[in-house]
Coordinates of all heavy atoms in Angstrom, one line a residue:
M1 N 17.9 1.8 2.7 CA 19.0 0.9 3.2 C 19.3 -0.2 2.2 O 18.3 -0.8 1.7 CB 18.6 0.4 4.6 CG 19.7 -0.4 5.3 SD 19.2 -1.0 6.9 CE 19.4 0.5 7.9
A2 N 20.5 -0.5 2.0 CA 20.9 -1.6 1.0 C 20.4 -2.9 1.6 O 20.5 -3.1 2.8 CB 22.4 -1.6 0.8
T3 N 20.0 -3.8 0.7 CA 19.5 -5.1 1.1 C 20.5 -6.0 1.8 O 20.1 -6.8 2.7 CB 18.8 -5.8 -0.1 OG1 19.8 -5.8 -1.1 CG2 17.5 -5.2 -0.5
E4 N 21.8 -5.9 1.4 CA 22.8 -6.7 2.1 C 23.1 -6.3 3.5 O 23.9 -7.0 4.1 CB 24.0 -6.9 1.2 CG 24.8 -5.6 1.0 CD 24.4 -4.8 -0.1 OE1 23.3 -4.9 -0.6 OE2 25.2 -4.0 -0.6
Q5 N 22.7 -5.1 3.9 CA 23.0 -4.6 5.2 C 21.8 -4.9 6.1 O 20.7 -4.4 5.9 CB 23.2 -3.1 5.2 CG 24.6 -2.8 4.7 CD 24.9 -1.3 5.0 OE1 24.4 -0.8 6.0 NE2 25.7 -0.7 4.2
K6 N 22.0 -5.9 7.0 CA 20.9 -6.0 8.0 C 21.4 -5.7 9.4 O 22.6 -5.9 9.6 CB 20.3 -7.4 7.9 CG 21.2 -8.6 8.4 CD 20.5 -9.9 8.2 CE 21.5 -11.1 8.4 NZ 21.0 -11.9 9.5
S7 N 20.6 -5.2 10.2 CA 21.0 -4.7 11.5 C 20.3 -5.6 12.5 O 19.5 -6.5 12.2 CB 20.6 -3.3 11.7 OG 21.3 -2.8 12.8
C8 N 20.6 -5.4 13.8 CA 20.0 -6.2 14.8 C 20.0 -5.3 16.1 O 20.5 -4.2 16.1 CB 20.8 -7.5 15.1 SG 22.4 -7.1 15.8
A9 N 19.3 -5.8 17.1 CA 19.2 -5.0 18.3 C 20.5 -4.7 19.0 O 20.7 -3.7 19.6 CB 18.3 -5.8 19.3
H10 N 21.5 -5.6 18.8 CA 22.8 -5.4 19.4 C 23.5 -4.2 18.7 O 24.1 -3.4 19.4 CB 23.7 -6.6 19.2 CG 23.1 -7.9 19.8 ND1 22.7 -8.9 19.0 CD2 22.9 -8.3 21.1 CE1 22.2 -9.9 19.8 NE2 22.3 -9.5 21.1
I11 N 23.5 -4.2 17.4 CA 24.1 -3.1 16.7 C 23.3 -1.8 16.9 O 23.9 -0.8 17.1 CB 24.2 -3.5 15.2 CG1 25.3 -4.6 15.0 CG2 24.5 -2.2 14.3 CD1 25.4 -5.1 13.5
D12 N 22.0 -1.9 16.9 CA 21.2 -0.7 17.1 C 21.5 -0.1 18.5 O 21.4 1.1 18.7 CB 19.7 -1.0 17.1 CG 19.3 -1.3 15.6 OD1 20.1 -1.0 14.7 OD2 18.2 -1.9 15.4
G13 N 22.0 -1.0 19.5 CA 22.3 -0.5 20.8 C 23.6 0.2 20.9 O 23.9 0.8 22.0
V14 N 24.4 0.1 19.9 CA 25.7 0.8 19.9 C 25.5 2.3 19.5 O 25.3 2.5 18.3 CB 26.7 0.1 19.0 CG1 28.1 0.9 18.9 CG2 27.0 -1.3 19.4
K15 N 25.6 3.2 20.4 CA 25.4 4.6 20.1 C 26.7 5.3 19.8 O 26.7 6.0 18.8 CB 24.7 5.3 21.3 CG 23.3 4.7 21.6 CD 22.3 4.8 20.4 CE 21.0 4.2 20.7 NZ 20.3 3.7 19.5
D16 N 27.7 5.1 20.6 CA 29.0 5.7 20.3 C 29.9 4.5 20.0 O 30.2 3.8 21.0 CB 29.5 6.5 21.5 CG 28.6 7.8 21.6 OD1 28.4 8.5 20.7 OD2 28.0 7.9 22.7
V17 N 30.4 4.4 18.8 CA 31.4 3.3 18.5 C 32.7 3.5 19.2 O 33.3 4.6 19.2 CB 31.6 3.3 17.0 CG1 32.6 2.2 16.6 CG2 30.2 3.0 16.3
R18 N 33.1 2.5 19.9 CA 34.4 2.5 20.7 C 35.5 2.4 19.7 O 35.6 1.3 19.0 CB 34.4 1.4 21.7 CG 33.3 1.5 22.8 CD 33.3 0.3 23.6 NE 34.3 0.4 24.6 CZ 34.2 0.0 25.9 NH1 33.0 -0.5 26.3 NH2 35.2 0.1 26.8
P19 N 36.5 3.3 19.7 CA 37.6 3.1 18.9 C 38.7 2.2 19.5 O 38.6 2.0 20.8 CB 38.2 4.6 18.8 CG 37.8 5.2 20.1 CD 36.5 4.6 20.5
P20 N 39.6 1.7 18.8 CA 40.6 0.8 19.4 C 41.5 1.6 20.3 O 42.0 2.7 19.9 CB 41.4 0.2 18.2 CG 41.1 1.2 17.1 CD 39.7 1.8 17.3
A21 N 41.8 1.1 21.5 CA 42.8 1.8 22.4 C 44.2 1.7 21.8 O 45.0 2.6 21.9 CB 42.7 1.2 23.8
R22 N 44.5 0.5 21.3 CA 45.8 0.3 20.7 C 45.6 -0.5 19.4 O 44.7 -1.3 19.3 CB 46.7 -0.5 21.6 CG 47.1 0.4 22.8 CD 48.1 -0.3 23.7 NE 47.5 -1.5 24.3 CZ 48.2 -2.4 25.0 NH1 49.5 -2.3 25.1 NH2 47.6 -3.4 25.6
R23 N 46.5 -0.3 18.4 CA 46.4 -1.0 17.2 C 47.2 -2.3 17.2 O 48.2 -2.5 16.5 CB 46.7 -0.1 16.0 CG 45.8 1.1 15.9 CD 45.6 1.6 14.5 NE 44.7 2.7 14.5 CZ 43.4 2.7 14.2 NH1 42.9 1.5 13.9 NH2 42.7 3.8 14.3
E24 N 46.8 -3.2 18.1 CA 47.4 -4.5 18.2 C 46.4 -5.5 18.8 O 45.5 -5.0 19.6 CB 48.7 -4.4 19.0 CG 48.5 -3.9 20.4 CD 49.9 -3.7 21.1 OE1 50.9 -3.5 20.4 OE2 49.8 -3.7 22.3
C25 N 46.6 -6.8 18.5 CA 45.7 -7.7 19.2 C 46.3 -8.0 20.5 O 47.4 -8.5 20.7 CB 45.6 -9.0 18.3 SG 44.8 -10.4 19.2
E26 N 45.5 -7.8 21.6 CA 46.0 -7.9 22.9 C 46.4 -9.4 23.3 O 47.2 -9.7 24.1 CB 45.1 -7.4 24.0 CG 43.7 -7.9 23.9 CD 42.7 -7.1 24.9 OE1 42.5 -5.9 24.7 OE2 42.2 -7.8 25.8
E27 N 45.7 -10.3 22.6 CA 45.9 -11.8 22.9 C 47.2 -12.2 22.1 O 48.0 -13.0 22.6 CB 44.8 -12.6 22.4 CG 43.4 -12.2 23.0 CD 43.2 -12.5 24.4 OE1 43.9 -13.4 25.0 OE2 42.3 -11.9 25.1
C28 N 47.3 -11.8 20.8 CA 48.5 -12.2 20.0 C 49.8 -11.6 20.6 O 50.8 -12.3 20.6 CB 48.3 -11.7 18.6 SG 47.2 -12.7 17.6
V29 N 49.7 -10.4 21.2 CA 50.9 -9.8 21.8 C 51.4 -10.7 22.9 O 52.6 -10.9 23.1 CB 50.6 -8.4 22.3 CG1 51.6 -7.9 23.2 CG2 50.4 -7.4 21.1
K30 N 50.4 -11.3 23.7 CA 50.8 -12.1 24.8 C 51.5 -13.4 24.4 O 52.4 -13.9 25.1 CB 49.5 -12.5 25.6 CG 49.0 -11.5 26.5 CD 47.8 -12.0 27.3 CE 46.8 -11.0 27.6 NZ 45.5 -11.5 27.9
I31 N 51.1 -13.9 23.3 CA 51.7 -15.2 22.8 C 52.7 -15.0 21.7 O 53.2 -16.0 21.1 CB 50.6 -16.2 22.4 CG1 49.8 -15.6 21.2 CG2 49.7 -16.6 23.5 CD1 48.8 -16.6 20.6
G32 N 53.0 -13.8 21.4 CA 54.0 -13.5 20.3 C 53.6 -13.9 18.9 O 54.4 -14.2 18.1
S33 N 52.3 -13.9 18.7 CA 51.8 -14.2 17.4 C 51.5 -12.9 16.5 O 51.7 -11.8 17.0 CB 50.5 -15.1 17.5 OG 50.1 -15.6 16.2
S34 N 51.0 -13.1 15.4 CA 50.7 -12.0 14.5 C 49.3 -12.1 14.0 O 48.6 -13.1 14.2 CB 51.7 -11.9 13.3 OG 51.5 -13.1 12.6
W35 N 48.8 -11.0 13.3 CA 47.4 -10.9 12.9 C 47.3 -10.3 11.6 O 48.2 -9.7 11.1 CB 46.6 -10.1 14.0 CG 47.2 -8.8 14.2 CD1 46.9 -7.7 13.4 CD2 48.1 -8.4 15.2 NE1 47.7 -6.6 13.9 CE2 48.4 -7.0 15.0 CE3 48.8 -9.1 16.2 CZ2 49.3 -6.4 15.8 CZ3 49.7 -8.4 17.0 CH2 50.0 -7.1 16.8
V36 N 46.1 -10.4 11.0 CA 45.8 -9.8 9.7 C 45.1 -8.5 9.8 O 45.5 -7.4 9.4 CB 45.0 -10.8 8.8 CG1 44.8 -10.1 7.4 CG2 45.8 -12.1 8.6
H37 N 43.9 -8.5 10.4 CA 43.1 -7.3 10.7 C 42.7 -7.3 12.1 O 42.7 -8.3 12.8 CB 41.8 -7.3 9.8 CG 42.1 -7.3 8.3 ND1 42.8 -6.3 7.7 CD2 41.8 -8.3 7.4 CE1 42.9 -6.7 6.4 NE2 42.3 -7.8 6.2
L38 N 42.3 -6.1 12.6 CA 41.9 -5.9 14.0 C 40.5 -5.5 14.1 O 40.0 -4.8 13.3 CB 42.8 -4.8 14.6 CG 44.3 -5.2 14.7 CD1 45.1 -4.0 15.2 CD2 44.5 -6.4 15.7
R39 N 39.9 -6.0 15.2 CA 38.5 -5.7 15.5 C 38.4 -5.3 16.9 O 39.1 -5.8 17.8 CB 37.6 -7.0 15.3 CG 37.8 -7.7 14.0 CD 37.3 -6.9 12.8 NE 37.4 -7.5 11.5 CZ 38.1 -6.9 10.5 NH1 38.7 -5.7 10.7 NH2 38.2 -7.5 9.4
T40 N 37.5 -4.3 17.2 CA 37.4 -3.8 18.6 C 36.0 -4.2 19.2 O 35.0 -3.9 18.6 CB 37.5 -2.3 18.7 OG1 38.8 -2.0 18.2 CG2 37.4 -1.8 20.1
C41 N 36.0 -4.9 20.3 CA 34.8 -5.4 21.0 C 34.0 -4.1 21.5 O 34.6 -3.3 22.2 CB 35.1 -6.3 22.1 SG 33.7 -6.8 23.1
Q42 N 32.8 -4.0 21.2 CA 32.0 -2.9 21.5 C 31.4 -3.0 23.0 O 30.8 -2.1 23.5 CB 30.9 -2.6 20.5 CG 31.4 -2.2 19.2 CD 32.3 -1.0 19.2 OE1 31.8 0.1 19.5 NE2 33.6 -1.1 18.9
S43 N 31.6 -4.2 23.6 CA 31.1 -4.3 25.0 C 32.2 -4.0 26.0 O 32.0 -3.3 27.0 CB 30.7 -5.8 25.2 OG 29.6 -6.1 24.3
C44 N 33.5 -4.4 25.7 CA 34.5 -4.1 26.7 C 35.6 -3.3 26.1 O 36.5 -2.9 26.9 CB 35.1 -5.5 27.2 SG 35.9 -6.4 25.9
G45 N 35.6 -3.0 24.8 CA 36.6 -2.1 24.2 C 38.0 -2.8 23.9 O 38.9 -2.2 23.4
G46 N 38.0 -4.1 24.1 CA 39.3 -4.8 23.8 C 39.4 -5.0 22.3 O 38.5 -5.2 21.6
T47 N 40.7 -4.9 21.8 CA 41.0 -5.1 20.4 C 41.6 -6.4 20.1 O 42.6 -6.8 20.8 CB 41.8 -3.9 19.9 OG1 41.1 -2.7 20.0 CG2 42.2 -4.1 18.4
R48 N 41.1 -7.2 19.2 CA 41.6 -8.6 18.9 C 41.6 -8.8 17.4 O 41.0 -8.0 16.7 CB 40.7 -9.6 19.6 CG 40.8 -9.4 21.1 CD 39.8 -10.4 21.9 NE 40.0 -10.2 23.3 CZ 39.4 -9.2 24.0 NH1 38.6 -8.3 23.4 NH2 39.5 -9.1 25.3
C49 N 42.1 -10.0 17.0 CA 42.3 -10.2 15.6 C 41.1 -10.9 14.9 O 40.3 -11.5 15.5 CB 43.6 -11.0 15.4 SG 43.7 -12.6 16.3
C50 N 41.0 -10.7 13.6 CA 39.9 -11.1 12.8 C 39.9 -12.6 12.4 O 40.9 -13.3 12.8 CB 39.8 -10.3 11.5 SG 41.1 -10.7 10.4
D51 N 38.9 -13.0 11.7 CA 38.8 -14.4 11.3 C 39.8 -14.8 10.2 O 39.9 -16.0 9.9 CB 37.4 -14.8 10.9 CG 36.5 -15.0 12.1 OD1 37.0 -14.9 13.3 OD2 35.3 -15.3 11.9
S52 N 40.4 -13.8 9.6 CA 41.5 -14.1 8.6 C 42.8 -14.3 9.3 O 43.8 -14.7 8.6 CB 41.6 -13.0 7.6 OG 40.4 -12.8 6.9
S53 N 42.9 -14.0 10.6 CA 44.1 -14.2 11.3 C 44.2 -15.6 11.8 O 43.2 -16.3 12.0 CB 44.2 -13.2 12.5 OG 43.9 -11.9 12.0
P54 N 45.5 -16.1 12.1 CA 45.6 -17.5 12.5 C 44.9 -17.8 13.8 O 44.4 -18.9 14.0 CB 47.1 -17.7 12.6 CG 47.8 -16.4 12.2 CD 46.7 -15.4 11.9
N55 N 44.8 -16.9 14.7 CA 44.2 -17.2 16.0 C 42.8 -16.8 16.3 O 42.2 -17.2 17.2 CB 45.1 -16.6 17.1 CG 46.5 -17.1 17.1 OD1 46.7 -18.3 17.3 ND2 47.5 -16.3 16.7
R56 N 42.3 -16.0 15.4 CA 40.8 -15.6 15.4 C 40.4 -15.2 16.8 O 39.4 -15.7 17.3 CB 40.0 -16.7 14.9 CG 40.3 -17.1 13.5 CD 39.5 -18.2 13.0 NE 39.8 -18.5 11.6 CZ 39.2 -19.3 10.8 NH1 38.0 -19.9 11.2 NH2 39.6 -19.6 9.6
H57 N 41.1 -14.3 17.4 CA 40.8 -14.0 18.8 C 39.5 -13.2 19.0 O 38.9 -13.3 20.0 CB 42.0 -13.2 19.4 CG 43.2 -14.0 19.8 ND1 44.5 -13.8 19.3 CD2 43.3 -15.2 20.5 CE1 45.3 -14.7 19.8 NE2 44.6 -15.5 20.5
A58 N 39.1 -12.4 18.0 CA 37.9 -11.6 18.2 C 36.7 -12.5 18.2 O 35.8 -12.3 19.1 CB 37.8 -10.6 17.0
S59 N 36.6 -13.5 17.4 CA 35.4 -14.4 17.4 C 35.5 -15.3 18.6 O 34.4 -15.6 19.2 CB 35.2 -15.1 16.1 OG 36.4 -15.9 15.8
A60 N 36.7 -15.7 19.0 CA 36.8 -16.5 20.2 C 36.3 -15.7 21.5 O 35.6 -16.2 22.3 CB 38.2 -17.0 20.4
H61 N 36.7 -14.5 21.5 CA 36.3 -13.6 22.6 C 34.8 -13.4 22.6 O 34.1 -13.5 23.6 CB 37.0 -12.3 22.5 CG 36.5 -11.2 23.4 ND1 36.8 -11.2 24.8 CD2 35.6 -10.2 23.2 CE1 36.2 -10.2 25.4 NE2 35.4 -9.5 24.4
A62 N 34.2 -13.2 21.4 CA 32.7 -13.0 21.3 C 32.0 -14.2 21.8 O 31.0 -14.0 22.5 CB 32.4 -12.7 19.9
K63 N 32.5 -15.4 21.5 CA 31.8 -16.6 22.0 C 32.0 -16.8 23.5 O 31.0 -17.0 24.2 CB 32.4 -17.8 21.3 CG 31.8 -18.2 20.0 CD 32.0 -19.6 19.7 CE 31.7 -19.9 18.2 NZ 32.8 -19.8 17.3
S64 N 33.2 -16.6 24.0 CA 33.4 -17.0 25.4 C 32.9 -15.9 26.3 O 32.4 -16.3 27.4 CB 34.9 -17.2 25.6 OG 35.6 -16.0 25.4
S65 N 32.9 -14.7 25.9 CA 32.4 -13.6 26.8 C 31.0 -13.1 26.5 O 30.5 -12.3 27.2 CB 33.4 -12.5 26.8 OG 33.5 -12.0 25.5
K66 N 30.4 -13.7 25.4 CA 29.1 -13.2 25.0 C 29.0 -11.7 24.7 O 28.0 -11.1 25.0 CB 28.0 -13.7 26.0 CG 28.0 -15.2 26.3 CD 26.6 -15.7 26.2 CE 26.4 -17.2 26.5 NZ 27.6 -18.0 26.3
H67 N 30.1 -11.2 24.2 CA 30.1 -9.8 23.7 C 29.8 -9.9 22.2 O 30.6 -10.3 21.4 CB 31.4 -9.2 24.0 CG 31.7 -8.9 25.4 ND1 33.0 -8.6 25.9 CD2 30.9 -9.0 26.5 CE1 32.9 -8.4 27.2 NE2 31.7 -8.7 27.6
P68 N 28.6 -9.4 21.8 CA 28.2 -9.7 20.4 C 28.8 -8.9 19.3 O 29.0 -9.4 18.2 CB 26.6 -9.5 20.4 CG 26.4 -8.5 21.6 CD 27.5 -8.8 22.6
V69 N 29.0 -7.6 19.6 CA 29.3 -6.7 18.5 C 30.8 -6.2 18.5 O 31.3 -5.8 19.5 CB 28.4 -5.4 18.6 CG1 28.7 -4.5 17.4 CG2 26.9 -5.8 18.5
I70 N 31.4 -6.3 17.3 CA 32.7 -5.7 17.1 C 32.7 -4.6 16.0 O 31.8 -4.6 15.2 CB 33.8 -6.8 16.7 CG1 33.2 -7.7 15.5 CG2 34.2 -7.7 17.9 CD1 33.8 -7.5 14.2
A71 N 33.6 -3.7 16.1 CA 33.8 -2.8 15.0 C 35.2 -3.0 14.4 O 36.1 -3.5 15.0 CB 33.8 -1.3 15.6
S72 N 35.3 -2.7 13.1 CA 36.6 -2.8 12.5 C 37.5 -1.8 13.1 O 37.1 -0.6 13.4 CB 36.5 -2.5 11.0 OG 37.8 -2.4 10.5
A73 N 38.7 -2.2 13.4 CA 39.7 -1.3 14.0 C 40.7 -0.9 12.9 O 41.8 -0.3 13.2 CB 40.5 -2.0 15.1
E74 N 40.4 -1.1 11.7 CA 41.2 -0.8 10.6 C 41.0 0.7 10.2 O 39.8 1.1 10.1 CB 41.0 -1.7 9.3 CG 41.3 -3.1 9.6 CD 42.8 -3.4 10.0 OE1 43.6 -2.8 9.3 OE2 43.1 -4.0 11.0
I75 N 42.0 1.4 9.8 CA 41.9 2.8 9.5 C 41.1 2.9 8.2 O 41.3 2.2 7.2 CB 43.3 3.5 9.3 CG1 44.0 3.6 10.7 CG2 43.2 4.8 8.6 CD1 45.4 3.9 10.6
G76 N 40.1 3.8 8.2 CA 39.3 4.0 7.0 C 38.0 3.1 6.9 O 37.2 3.3 6.0
E77 N 37.9 2.1 7.8 CA 36.8 1.2 7.8 C 35.8 1.6 8.9 O 36.3 1.8 10.1 CB 37.2 -0.3 8.0 CG 38.0 -0.8 6.8 CD 38.3 -2.3 6.9 OE1 37.8 -2.9 7.9 OE2 39.0 -2.8 6.1
R78 N 34.6 1.8 8.6 CA 33.6 2.2 9.5 C 32.4 1.2 9.5 O 31.4 1.5 8.8 CB 33.1 3.6 9.3 CG 34.3 4.6 9.5 CD 33.9 6.0 9.0 NE 32.7 6.5 9.8 CZ 32.9 7.2 10.9 NH1 34.1 7.3 11.5 NH2 31.8 7.6 11.6
W79 N 32.5 0.1 10.1 CA 31.4 -0.9 10.1 C 31.4 -1.7 11.4 O 32.4 -1.8 12.1 CB 31.5 -1.8 8.9 CG 32.8 -2.5 8.7 CD1 33.7 -2.2 7.8 CD2 33.2 -3.7 9.3 NE1 34.8 -3.1 7.8 CE2 34.5 -4.0 8.7 CE3 32.7 -4.6 10.3 CZ2 35.2 -5.2 9.1 CZ3 33.5 -5.7 10.7 CH2 34.7 -6.0 10.1
L80 N 30.2 -2.2 11.7 CA 30.0 -3.0 12.9 C 29.5 -4.4 12.5 O 28.8 -4.5 11.4 CB 28.9 -2.4 13.8 CG 29.2 -1.0 14.3 CD1 27.9 -0.3 14.8 CD2 30.2 -1.1 15.5
Y81 N 29.8 -5.4 13.3 CA 29.4 -6.7 13.0 C 28.9 -7.4 14.2 O 29.5 -7.3 15.3 CB 30.5 -7.6 12.3 CG 30.1 -9.0 12.0 CD1 29.3 -9.3 11.0 CD2 30.5 -10.0 12.9 CE1 28.9 -10.6 10.7 CE2 30.2 -11.3 12.6 CZ 29.4 -11.6 11.5 OH 29.0 -12.9 11.3
C82 N 27.8 -8.1 14.1 CA 27.2 -8.8 15.3 C 27.4 -10.3 15.0 O 26.9 -10.8 14.0 CB 25.8 -8.5 15.5 SG 25.0 -9.5 16.8
Y83 N 28.2 -11.0 15.9 CA 28.4 -12.4 15.7 C 27.2 -13.3 15.8 O 26.9 -14.1 14.9 CB 29.5 -12.9 16.7 CG 30.9 -12.5 16.3 CD1 31.5 -11.5 16.9 CD2 31.6 -13.2 15.3 CE1 32.8 -11.1 16.5 CE2 32.9 -12.9 14.9 CZ 33.5 -11.8 15.6 OH 34.7 -11.4 15.2
P84 N 26.4 -13.2 16.9 CA 25.2 -14.1 17.0 C 24.2 -13.9 15.9 O 23.5 -14.9 15.5 CB 24.6 -13.8 18.4 CG 25.3 -12.6 18.9 CD 26.6 -12.4 18.1
D85 N 24.0 -12.7 15.4 CA 23.0 -12.5 14.4 C 23.6 -12.5 13.0 O 22.9 -12.3 12.0 CB 22.3 -11.2 14.7 CG 21.4 -11.2 15.9 OD1 20.6 -12.1 16.0 OD2 21.6 -10.4 16.8
D86 N 24.9 -12.5 12.9 CA 25.6 -12.4 11.6 C 25.1 -11.2 10.8 O 24.8 -11.2 9.6 CB 25.3 -13.7 10.7 CG 26.2 -13.7 9.5 OD1 27.3 -13.1 9.5 OD2 25.8 -14.3 8.5
A87 N 25.0 -10.1 11.6 CA 24.5 -8.8 11.0 C 25.7 -7.8 10.8 O 26.6 -7.8 11.6 CB 23.5 -8.2 12.0
F88 N 25.5 -7.0 9.8 CA 26.6 -6.1 9.4 C 26.0 -4.7 9.2 O 24.9 -4.6 8.7 CB 27.2 -6.6 8.1 CG 28.3 -5.7 7.6 CD1 29.6 -5.8 8.0 CD2 28.0 -4.8 6.6 CE1 30.6 -4.9 7.4 CE2 28.9 -3.9 6.0 CZ 30.2 -4.0 6.5
A89 N 26.6 -3.7 9.7 CA 26.1 -2.3 9.4 C 27.3 -1.4 9.3 O 28.3 -1.4 10.1 CB 25.2 -1.9 10.6
E90 N 27.2 -0.4 8.4 CA 28.2 0.6 8.3 C 27.7 1.8 9.1 O 26.5 1.9 9.4 CB 28.4 1.1 6.8 CG 29.1 0.0 6.0 CD 29.3 0.4 4.6 OE1 28.3 0.3 3.8 OE2 30.4 0.8 4.2
Y91 N 28.6 2.6 9.6 CA 28.2 3.8 10.3 C 28.9 5.0 9.9 O 29.9 4.9 9.1 CB 28.4 3.6 11.8 CG 29.9 3.4 12.2 CD1 30.6 4.5 12.6 CD2 30.5 2.1 12.3 CE1 32.0 4.3 13.0 CE2 31.8 2.0 12.6 CZ 32.5 3.1 13.0 OH 33.8 2.9 13.4
Ligands
ZN101 ZN1 22.9 -8.9 17.2
ZN102 ZN1 45.0 -12.3 18.1
ZN103 ZN1 34.5 -7.8 24.8

């Protein structure tokens, strides 16, 4: 395993990665905003925008709901990230 990839119990607990139900940020759509990249919460399956987006809905959701792990919802990207542990893993 590459040294820059560290995993955690949250990521290890993700057995089947949840794909995005829709390719849009559900929070940005409500407020008419836009996003840069999309991330899918692995606890509830909601898709929200990344930290490069103006509203950072994915990390806000992770904090407020204590859902630790997101997966990239971008086509061709296969990785998981855990917010509380700052852990990253490809799958
Ligand atoms: Zn974790
Ligand atoms: Zn958003
Ligand atoms: Zn969630």
Side-chain angles (χ1 to χ4, degrees):
M1 188 181 278
T3 48
E4 68 268 23
Q5 283 193 28
K6 66 184 174 119
S7 196
C8 68
H10 304 111
I11 287 176
D12 289 346
V14 177
K15 297 300 177 208
D16 295 302
V17 176
R18 299 172 77 140
R22 288 186 293 171
R23 297 210 182 263
E24 58 188 21
C25 172
E26 57 188 60
E27 311 283 341
C28 282
V29 165
K30 280 184 213 159
I31 59 173
S33 189
S34 60
W35 55 85
V36 179
H37 300 296
L38 295 171
R39 309 291 180 240
T40 299
C41 176
Q42 294 302 294
S43 300
C44 65
T47 296
R48 296 173 181 83
C49 54
C50 72
D51 281 359
S52 302
S53 306
N55 297 295
R56 302 181 179 189
H57 285 127
S59 56
H61 170 77
K63 271 205 195 89
S64 65
S65 58
K66 304 228 181 336
H67 292 168
V69 181
I70 48 109
S72 174
E74 298 298 313
I75 291 168
E77 293 187 4
R78 295 172 63 85
W79 52 260
L80 298 162
Y81 177 76
C82 174
Y83 283 101
D85 293 307
D86 190 27
F88 176 87
E90 291 180 283
Y91 64 90

